[in-house]
Amino acid sequence: MTPVSSHSPHGQSTLRTVQVLGGGNAGSSAHVRSLAAGLVARGVRVTVCAPVEADRTYDFSGAGAEHVHVPRSSDPGSVAALRAACTGADLVHAHGLHASFRAALALAGRSTPLIVTWHNRAHAEGARAHFLRMLERRVVRAAAVVLGTTSDLVDRARKAGARDARLAAIALPGHRTPAEPDEPDLARPKIRAELGAIGRPLLMAVGSLDPRRGYDVLLAAARAWRGLDPVPLVAIAGEGPLRTALQRRIEEEGLPVRLIGRRDDVGELLAAADLALLPSRWESRSLLAQEALHARVPLVATAVGGVPELVGDAAELVPPGDAEAFATAVVRLLGDPERRELLAEKGLRQAATWPTEDETVAQVLSVYDELTQPRPLI
């Protein structure tokens, strides 16, 4: 890859960027960590503005970036702290709607270019949905460029009034090359034993326990699997506000489902699974889908948001909210080892088409150059 210039148009020797995160979900935080490392390696000065707990988890400082603690959006001092951190920056790159809105407020009255990456779509109903649409309009009109991680997010930004909206190249940071099929995985039997999946299929879902994830539909589908022999076990890794309600339903209906809480070994969990499940009502660039395809684990997912664009024909896709269709797709795959192997191979081929971390950094740097290089006089 040919590196772009790291010289500022203002006579400074090095381009200085500020990356802004809000609370930062796993996808956007991991992306910013990867992006920061790539930018620093190419001679760019990077400041990451994020809550201190995000730096503890993602170690932006360890990537060579300066970390500045900026409280979450609910803190009244967050915009002032962000405005101070952005002083002297050549450009500011904000990730997510709330972080982008605060960045726009912090840059008010300044000529510093603002780049925005939308990693996901904010979900709400009623008055809050109207408020979020107002935030979106304010953000995209303040941004010089909006990068969307999926085509529908790009379209959403354009409809909201973006001057320049483009599809972002987003890599899956730090993924490992998947093991060959005949390579022994010593962790697999241990994990399956821990979860209680010895002698039965293990179906793995990962994500926060909130309404968007569609776990109510997954539990409804699990009723259909109770009649299989052996009965598959569904393990759901994650925490969230629906945990109590989901656990109560699992117990009352006798469902073959375990809530295993937040885990830091998702890669190993997926590698031990027979199928990966993604029943979401909306997803952008799903980390679970990417990890599953890299790990050669067949995926059953809902055809929502950026999922079809991401996985192509390398997964079984079903309509959102349709428990019967989801259950049928799982049963069909469990009974068809040849189809599972075909999806595993297709998954590897599809994953090979996704952007690398180098390509992601290259795209971002090209946008930075557009916004900071002096334009010739006509």
Side-chain angles (χ1 to χ4, degrees):
M1 184 191 79
T2 303
V4 300
S5 169
S6 61
H7 291 282
S8 162
H10 310 300
Q12 300 163 324
S13 61
T14 303
L15 186 72
R16 178 174 175 246
T17 75
V18 175
Q19 307 288 322
V20 183
L21 275 168
N25 63 29
S28 57
S29 296
H31 169 68
V32 169
R33 208 283 182 187
S34 170
L35 182 59
L39 292 172
V40 168
R42 290 158 180 79
V44 178
R45 287 178 57 204
V46 178
T47 298
V48 176
C49 292
V52 67
E53 55 268 28
D55 188 48
R56 290 195 196 106
T57 303
Y58 292 95
D59 192 22
F60 306 117
S61 306
E66 176 191 7
H67 171 252
V68 174
H69 170 64
V70 173
R72 295 175 185 272
S73 56
S74 57
D75 188 304
S78 63
V79 173
L82 189 54
R83 185 172 178 84
C86 292
T87 300
D90 293 302
L91 51 83
V92 174
H93 189 165
H95 301 262
L97 178 60
H98 293 286
S100 301
F101 180 64
R102 286 188 297 150
L105 292 177
L107 294 176
R110 296 180 178 178
S111 59
T112 311
L114 173 64
I115 301 98
V116 166
T117 296
W118 278 1
H119 296 265
N120 220 320
R121 192 180 81 193
H123 293 264
E125 296 179 358
R128 180 160 174 77
H130 177 69
F131 172 70
L132 289 175
R133 284 194 295 272
M134 289 177 57
L135 286 190
E136 288 179 347
R137 289 195 293 269
R138 172 70 184 269
V139 163
V140 301
R141 289 168 184 172
V145 176
V146 177
L147 299 172
T149 59
T150 64
S151 295
D152 61 335
L153 287 174
V154 174
D155 291 342
R156 188 178 181 88
R158 287 173 179 158
K159 290 174 183 175
R163 288 172 281 169
D164 185 342
R166 313 177 191 181
L167 187 63
I170 301 289
L172 176 62
H175 76 82
R176 296 170 299 182
T177 303
E180 292 299 320
D182 58 351
E183 201 173 300
D185 185 349
L186 301 179
R188 179 182 169 93
K190 180 180 177 181
I191 289 173
R192 292 178 72 95
E194 174 204 339
L195 297 178
I198 297 296
R200 62 193 298 198
L202 175 61
L203 316 182
M204 196 72 223
V206 180
S208 57
L209 307 182
D210 62 57
R212 179 173 64 86
R213 298 293 181 177
Y215 289 135
D216 56 333
V217 176
L218 180 55
L219 296 192
R223 284 201 297 263
W225 307 328
R226 290 179 300 187
L228 298 180
D229 185 17
V231 178
L233 174 67
V234 180
I236 302 175
E239 286 291 353
L242 294 183
R243 182 182 180 97
T244 300
L246 292 172
Q247 186 62 50
R248 183 185 306 117
R249 183 173 170 188
I250 290 167
E251 293 171 359
E252 289 176 351
E253 299 182 24
L255 301 175
V257 179
R258 281 193 62 190
L259 304 181
I260 62 174
R262 187 176 288 110
R263 301 282 294 240
D264 58 8
D265 58 347
V266 169
E268 288 79 5
L269 290 170
L270 277 173
D274 297 287
L275 299 180
L277 308 180
L278 186 66
S280 301
R281 289 181 168 81
W282 198 87
E283 287 281 348
S284 56
R285 199 170 175 86
S286 165
L287 286 174
L288 172 69
Q290 293 176 79
E291 293 278 10
L293 267 59
H294 270 296
R296 303 182 77 258
V297 177
L299 172 69
V300 178
T302 45
V304 295
V307 173
E309 181 179 29
L310 179 68
V311 304
D313 66 350
E316 294 285 354
L317 297 179
V318 300
D322 190 334
E324 183 178 353
F326 204 97
T328 299
V330 168
V331 171
R332 185 169 58 241
L333 265 186
L334 289 176
D336 190 345
E338 291 184 0
R339 175 67 177 165
R340 294 200 303 273
E341 182 60 28
L342 176 62
L343 286 179
E345 295 303 321
K346 284 187 173 183
L348 282 183
R349 290 197 293 270
Q350 182 70 11
T353 70
W354 297 335
T356 64
E357 290 183 88
D358 273 353
E359 289 166 344
T360 298
V361 175
Q363 185 203 38
V364 168
L365 277 171
S366 71
V367 174
Y368 291 178
D369 260 3
E370 287 179 37
L371 299 177
T372 59
Q373 295 301 314
R375 297 179 182 179
L377 296 176
I378 297 177

PDB file of all heavy atoms in Angstrom, residues 117 145 170 376:
ATOM      1  N   THR A 117     -18.302   8.471  10.952  1.00  0.00           N
ATOM      2  CA  THR A 117     -18.572   7.084  10.562  1.00  0.00           C
ATOM      3  C   THR A 117     -19.774   6.586  11.337  1.00  0.00           C
ATOM      4  O   THR A 117     -19.797   6.650  12.571  1.00  0.00           O
ATOM      5  CB  THR A 117     -17.366   6.168  10.834  1.00  0.00           C
ATOM      6  OG1 THR A 117     -16.258   6.575  10.014  1.00  0.00           O
ATOM      7  CG2 THR A 117     -17.713   4.726  10.491  1.00  0.00           C
ATOM      8  N   VAL A 145     -17.732  14.629   5.292  1.00  0.00           N
ATOM      9  CA  VAL A 145     -17.923  13.300   4.700  1.00  0.00           C
ATOM     10  C   VAL A 145     -18.572  12.404   5.755  1.00  0.00           C
ATOM     11  O   VAL A 145     -18.172  12.429   6.921  1.00  0.00           O
ATOM     12  CB  VAL A 145     -16.588  12.674   4.243  1.00  0.00           C
ATOM     13  CG1 VAL A 145     -16.801  11.251   3.730  1.00  0.00           C
ATOM     14  CG2 VAL A 145     -15.918  13.524   3.178  1.00  0.00           C
ATOM     15  N   ILE A 170     -14.541  -1.385   6.269  1.00  0.00           N
ATOM     16  CA  ILE A 170     -14.376  -1.712   7.690  1.00  0.00           C
ATOM     17  C   ILE A 170     -13.875  -3.145   7.805  1.00  0.00           C
ATOM     18  O   ILE A 170     -14.554  -4.083   7.403  1.00  0.00           O
ATOM     19  CB  ILE A 170     -15.707  -1.565   8.459  1.00  0.00           C
ATOM     20  CG1 ILE A 170     -16.247  -0.146   8.335  1.00  0.00           C
ATOM     21  CG2 ILE A 170     -15.507  -1.956   9.919  1.00  0.00           C
ATOM     22  CD1 ILE A 170     -15.459   0.896   9.103  1.00  0.00           C
ATOM     23  N   PRO A 376      -5.499  23.278  -5.801  1.00  0.00           N
ATOM     24  CA  PRO A 376      -4.868  24.212  -6.743  1.00  0.00           C
ATOM     25  C   PRO A 376      -5.837  25.332  -7.129  1.00  0.00           C
ATOM     26  O   PRO A 376      -7.047  25.126  -7.230  1.00  0.00           O
ATOM     27  CB  PRO A 376      -4.537  23.325  -7.952  1.00  0.00           C
ATOM     28  CG  PRO A 376      -5.493  22.165  -7.843  1.00  0.00           C
ATOM     29  CD  PRO A 376      -5.709  21.934  -6.385  1.00  0.00           C
TER      30      PRO A 376
END
